[in-house]
Each structure stands twice: as C-alpha cells, then as structure tokens.
Amino acid sequence: MKKNSHKNERINGEVQRELSRIISMEIKDPRIHPMTSVTSVIVTPDLKYCKAYISVLGDEGSAMDTIEGLKSAAGYIRRELARSINLRNTPEITFVLDSSIAYGIEMSKKIDELMNE
C-alpha cells in the first residue's frame, strides 16, 4: 500500500479544518451536539471520497444523533466545502463515529484505579 503523499496530507488537514469550522459555526441542526469535533479526515488520492472521523463528548445517544444530523446535512456541508476550498473535485463525505478519545479516557481511568490499589 502506498503511503500518503505530502500533498494528500495537506489536503486532509485543510479539509479537516474547514469541516470543523462548518460543523461548529454554520450548521444549526439541534441533533448535532455542541461538543463535536473532527478528529481525522482521509481524502482519497483522486479527491472523490472523504472519510471524516467525528468525536462527540457526551453519551452514546447524543453521538448517534450527531452522526444522523451530519448525514442529513452532508449535501450542505459538501457545498460549503466546495465554496471554501478550491479542489479539482469536492469529495463525497462519509461521517464515521470515532470513539478513540472515549476509549482513551476509559483506559486512563482503569490505569489510575490500578495505580491507587
């Protein structure tokens, strides 16, 4: 498997920044939790598809509601992304729930409990 090129990494970073801005500032859907962050973005080399990993600070129900809200607003988000970033193709965005931060917090708590015993 080919490693990401420097250009692809820059595009990933720029798309991540813009998605974060669009989600936090422009979307008014009440299903989207206010503490939502874009943890990672992977854009395919042909710029047609994009996988955005979303982390939500809250319970499982609010995380699922946030993903549903983002999926329903995907067309609007893609249009705003096309306006703000000048790419050859604007990628089709797939939102994926990223639970790695919650997992890390849980593991940290378990380690602290073991250290206190």
Side-chain angles (χ1 to χ4, degrees):
M1 187 170 158
K2 185 179 168 188
K3 193 173 180 180
N4 276 351
S5 67
H6 185 64
K7 177 183 173 187
N8 204 3
E9 289 176 9
R10 283 187 320 201
I11 290 172
N12 289 345
E14 187 65 28
V15 170
Q16 180 178 353
R17 258 190 308 280
E18 284 302 315
L19 279 179
S20 296
R21 184 189 62 78
I22 292 168
I23 290 171
S24 65
M25 303 284 200
E26 297 184 15
I27 296 181
K28 305 294 185 227
D29 193 333
R31 293 178 290 184
I32 298 175
H33 196 272
M35 295 298 289
T36 300
S37 61
V38 181
T39 57
S40 175
V41 170
I42 299 174
V43 179
T44 58
D46 63 355
L47 304 177
K48 294 199 187 256
Y49 300 99
C50 168
K51 219 179 246 192
Y53 293 92
I54 306 294
S55 177
V56 180
L57 185 64
D59 61 344
E60 189 70 28
S62 65
M64 297 311 288
D65 288 344
T66 298
I67 293 296
E68 288 302 314
L70 289 173
K71 284 180 182 177
S72 69
Y76 173 78
I77 294 171
R78 186 176 181 192
R79 186 175 68 234
E80 290 301 312
L81 192 64
R83 287 182 183 167
S84 61
I85 299 178
N86 186 16
L87 293 174
R88 187 172 8 134
N89 296 320
T90 303
E92 182 179 321
I93 305 167
T94 304
F95 295 102
V96 179
L97 185 61
D98 184 12
S99 59
S100 62
I101 294 175
Y103 179 75
I105 292 171
E106 182 182 329
M107 285 295 122
S108 179
K109 285 180 183 177
K110 288 181 179 180
I111 291 171
D112 289 343
E113 288 174 4
L114 288 174
M115 294 300 285
N116 289 335
E117 289 180 359

